[in-house]
Amino acid sequence: MKILICDGMHSKGLELLRAEDELEVLAPDQPGPEEVRRLAADCDALVVRSRTKVTADLMDAAPRLKVIGRAGTGVDNIDVPAASARGILVMNTPGANAMAAAEHTMALMLALARHVPQATQSLREGRWEKKRFLGTELYQQTLGIIGLGKIGSIVADRALGMKMNVLVYDPHITPETAAILGAEWVPLEELFKRSDFITLHTPLTPKTRNIINRDALALMKKGVRIINCARGGLVDEEALHEALVSGHVAGAALDVFAEEPPKDNPLLSLDNVIFTPHLGASSFQAQENVARAIASQIVDYLKRGIIRNALNFPSISPRDYERIQPYLVLAERLGHLQGQLCSPIERVEIEYSGPELTELPLDPLTQSIAKGILDPILAEKVNLVNAPMLLKERKIELVATTTSETRGYTGLIRVTVEGKGQRRSATGAVFPGNEIRLVRLNTYRLEAELEGVNLIVQNEDKPGVIGFIGTTLGSHQVNIANMHLSRTPEKDRAIAIVRLDDEAPPEALEALAKTPGILSVEQVRL
């Protein structure tokens, strides 16, 4: 079997692959797209980093391809749906570079506090400007961490070791979880007001995009310093530029940008900002870790059929896969829905019912639900293998049960989440033609598609509300694709699930939420 290393690999990973007698390893030096296409023609596996684009066209040129391994976490350069359609496994190495990203955050924070890059450049230019580069200590300063996943937790631990006061905002963990680490959980606005340094470690989602914006910056202390080694787009760069120029923000350290590489970005011209070109995972140890990890995963899959860290294929026999596939989609979307609607989540209850489901392996479905719940919560990538472990790490209890009760369907999945006094339930089914439907949300019965951008609006059951929703969205140039309605048996409350062509802007959501008779407005992407 042949393995093509497209973007280079640390020698330790190559040694692992070449030690296997049945594997032939091709490792050309920086091959171009045409050379990759030519060499991949008779390969069983591709190993890539971020440079090579694994497109549907490239897969078509590699008919023997069984697995694509990403030496890292992100798979933006791999067409995962195309791989799935071709039965090609896609795997990555989640968590292998978490330490590197956390330490890079600490490096940038220290460099920012003590003006290290600016002082270095000044000295290179022949100046000795001790008074100009007066720094600030981290000792007893307050660090605000937005997102307490694996990377955020490591940053918190290191900051506590430096005797900083650590505040944490993460809507998906409890104050008790933060306290175990030694941090204080606070609401986001309080974190903005109290922090001397703020660092981001959250995924980029509709809810977190521009989480640091003009309003957030206005709440912050004068002299605050901001570090972003997570995702471009979490910070409104125009608003940050204004705050840096005015002096309200003393400095910023950025490893990521909304556009990479940044072009004509005014932040690049400011003396009180330091930058690195997306180096969070770039350490010798991280590169060795990801190389060892992806090499061992490729060997396990090709030689032993063991699947680890797969992004698009659970541990299911080929015989069962065709039957379970639509339920896998349903399970993940139900989880994704609940992960966006409820926070923090402390307990997940899953009930599988109906003869079609109880005959199938249910662990992959449970893993799919866990993945769906965690995807909008965590900055690090979640897959079917690590999702249950990540749930345990976040102290989220998961219970799955089965019942033969059908309730009029051949198979039903109900996902109920609890947290901070909330209890929300979503039930889905697979209809003929493998169509996925939400058939119950809490007490509301309906048949809504689980796809795209949706507004979930609860309101008092009285005339005029539905018309107002349409008018308000129309006034903000938001087109409605379809709408599903339901109401309680008592006919006192109703719900509208409105599928949109595009996300509704914050102003439209605010206008709806402030309207008398509308009880809640939530936007989700499925």
Side-chain angles (χ1 to χ4, degrees), residues 437 446-449 482-486 495-499:
R437 292 287 187 271
L446 33 78
E447 287 186 6
E449 297 91 346
N482 59 39
M483 182 182 295
H484 295 269
L485 307 174
S486 182
I495 193 170
I497 298 184
V498 187
R499 187 147 65 91

Side-chain angles (χ1 to χ4, degrees), residues 197-339:
F197 292 81
I198 294 174
T199 179
L200 297 130
H201 301 286
T202 183
L204 181 63
T205 69
K207 289 186 178 180
T208 62
R209 182 175 294 278
N210 290 336
I211 192 170
I212 292 185
N213 51 32
R214 285 184 177 82
D215 292 340
L217 290 163
L219 293 173
M220 296 178 192
K221 292 181 179 182
K222 181 177 174 59
V224 68
R225 292 171 171 84
I226 297 168
I227 303 100
N228 184 13
C229 290
R231 297 287 188 275
L234 295 175
V235 178
D236 182 335
E237 293 176 355
E238 182 179 343
L240 178 61
H241 180 269
E242 293 171 3
L244 286 159
V245 170
S246 73
H248 184 72
V249 174
L254 305 175
D255 185 49
V256 291
F257 301 86
E259 179 185 12
E260 295 184 353
K263 298 175 183 177
D264 302 321
N265 191 322
L267 289 169
L268 298 175
S269 66
L270 299 182
D271 290 336
N272 54 346
V273 190
I274 63 176
F275 315 93
T276 48
H278 208 143
L279 298 180
S282 296
S283 72
F284 291 111
Q285 293 87 345
Q287 296 309 304
E288 179 178 342
N289 289 342
V290 297
R292 285 181 178 274
I294 199 63
S296 64
Q297 289 171 209
I298 292 286
V299 170
D300 278 346
Y301 179 60
L302 290 180
K303 296 191 69 174
R304 293 177 271 280
I306 299 171
I307 298 174
R308 291 186 288 128
N309 296 325
L311 291 154
N312 64 339
F313 195 85
S315 300
I316 306 168
S317 70
R319 182 178 61 84
D320 287 333
Y321 185 73
E322 185 175 350
R323 296 168 60 205
I324 203 173
Q325 196 275 335
Y327 284 102
L328 288 168
V329 177
L330 172 63
E332 185 167 345
R333 290 187 187 174
L334 286 172
H336 203 66
L337 175 68
Q338 293 288 56

Side-chain angles (χ1 to χ4, degrees), residues 64-97:
R64 285 177 46 182
L65 194 60
K66 300 179 180 68
V67 56
I68 301 164
R70 170 66 162 91
T73 56
V75 289
D76 294 345
N77 57 319
I78 301 172
D79 189 335
V80 178
S84 300
R86 290 158 176 77
I88 300 169
L89 186 73
V90 179
M91 56 175 61
N92 65 350
T93 55
N97 52 20

Side-chain angles (χ1 to χ4, degrees), residues 94-203:
N97 52 20
M99 185 64 70
E103 289 190 358
H104 194 65
T105 299
M106 299 303 296
L108 286 184
M109 183 160 57
L110 285 161
L112 183 64
R114 302 307 296 267
H115 311 291
V116 173
Q118 298 94 328
T120 299
Q121 185 61 32
S122 173
L123 196 56
R124 287 187 193 280
E125 295 170 355
R127 297 189 297 276
W128 188 263
E129 301 177 291
K130 293 182 67 174
K131 292 183 179 179
R132 178 185 170 193
F133 298 116
L134 184 67
T136 185
E137 298 177 3
L138 299 188
Y139 175 66
Q140 291 190 343
Q141 295 286 289
T142 297
L143 172 64
I145 301 176
I146 301 175
L148 198 66
K150 187 179 292 292
I151 297 170
S153 297
I154 296 172
V155 170
D157 179 69
R158 300 304 184 267
L160 289 164
M162 299 177 74
K163 306 302 181 185
M164 297 186 80
N165 304 310
V166 176
L167 306 179
V168 169
Y169 169 73
D170 188 323
H172 308 289
I173 68 166
T174 63
E176 292 75 18
T177 301
I180 290 171
L181 189 62
E184 178 187 356
W185 190 99
V186 295
L188 185 58
E189 288 191 1
E190 186 175 341
L191 182 145
F192 288 148
K193 293 175 181 178
R194 292 173 55 187
S195 298
D196 301 298
F197 292 81
I198 294 174
T199 179
L200 297 130
H201 301 286
T202 183

Side-chain angles (χ1 to χ4, degrees), residues 19-96:
E20 300 292 331
D21 293 337
E22 299 174 18
L23 302 182
E24 179 183 350
V25 180
L26 307 178
D29 184 27
Q30 298 290 305
E34 288 306 314
E35 186 177 3
V36 168
R37 182 183 176 88
R38 177 178 61 81
L39 293 173
D42 60 348
C43 284
D44 301 275
L46 297 182
V47 179
V48 301
R49 293 173 65 187
S50 58
R51 186 178 66 92
T52 296
K53 309 300 181 187
V54 186
T55 62
D57 183 59
L58 176 56
M59 295 178 217
D60 288 339
R64 285 177 46 182
L65 194 60
K66 300 179 180 68
V67 56
I68 301 164
R70 170 66 162 91
T73 56
V75 289
D76 294 345
N77 57 319
I78 301 172
D79 189 335
V80 178
S84 300
R86 290 158 176 77
I88 300 169
L89 186 73
V90 179
M91 56 175 61
N92 65 350
T93 55

